[in-house]
Amino acid sequence: METIGPGTGTGTGTGDPLDAGPSAVVQRRRLALSGVRGHVAKGRDFTRQALQDWGWDGTSTSEDALLLVSELLTNASLHAGGCIELVVCAGEVLRIEVFDGSTTPPRRHPSPQRGLPGGHGLYIVQRLSDRWGAQVHEHGKAVWAEIEASRLTSGRPAGR
């Protein structure tokens, strides 16, 4: 599996997957989305329920997590031929992964126009998450974003 970071490089803060022991992920939930209509709304509802179950709801940071889900699912639909699966993991971080069938790495729009729709998705992902990136695998890729658990419990906004 190849790791692709945002921009041109990989490394700390630019796309390396969470490198921690088995205790780093306490819970993992998966939602199959291949061929599902209304997948963005279903993904948000699925994630909202997970956040509630994990005690991470009711803060502006939990709303940021739902926006991240929307952006990642929408990007997979628009640019990667559709979503296959949404995975959310709880532990030291909330990790959101969207799997699609394309091996083409995500690319930020070079100059999105202010006030016009389109081209802003990965800028939003970068702004709201603590880390994000993509991992190419045999059948496509997973684009992921992470939010530190401490931010979800405190509601502290991203430090960007």
Side-chain angles (χ1 to χ4, degrees):
M1 194 176 330
E2 177 187 356
T3 300
I4 301 170
T8 58
T10 58
T12 305
T14 61
D16 279 347
L18 181 64
D19 185 19
S23 64
V25 173
V26 176
Q27 280 200 35
R28 179 183 315 262
R29 295 188 183 183
R30 306 172 88 89
L31 177 65
L33 291 170
S34 185
V36 172
R37 296 182 71 181
H39 61 278
V40 174
K42 285 182 172 50
R44 283 177 65 92
D45 290 344
F46 174 80
T47 304
R48 183 179 289 112
Q49 185 61 56
L51 292 171
Q52 287 173 352
D53 293 348
W54 298 332
W56 287 346
D57 60 326
T59 68
S60 59
T61 305
S62 64
E63 291 299 316
D64 289 349
L66 297 176
L67 181 54
L68 284 169
V69 168
S70 295
E71 290 296 336
L72 293 174
L73 290 173
T74 299
N75 284 348
S77 293
L78 293 175
H79 307 294
C83 310
I84 296 172
E85 185 176 43
L86 167 66
V87 177
V88 291
C89 303
E92 295 172 12
V93 299
L94 169 67
R95 184 174 173 106
I96 302 162
E97 298 174 298
V98 172
F99 291 81
D100 62 53
S102 170
T103 58
T104 304
R107 290 192 175 90
R108 290 187 297 174
H109 190 284
S111 57
Q113 299 293 313
R114 250 188 177 178
L116 294 177
H120 302 277
L122 290 178
Y123 286 98
I124 292 169
V125 169
Q126 180 177 2
R127 180 127 181 136
L128 296 179
S129 66
D130 292 309
R131 285 167 298 285
W132 76 277
Q135 293 173 302
V136 174
H137 54 83
E138 185 177 348
H139 303 290
K141 71 177 170 304
V143 180
W144 57 268
E146 293 178 340
I147 297 176
E148 296 291 333
S150 60
R151 284 187 45 224
L152 287 157
T153 56
S154 70
R156 190 176 73 248
R160 302 196 192 291

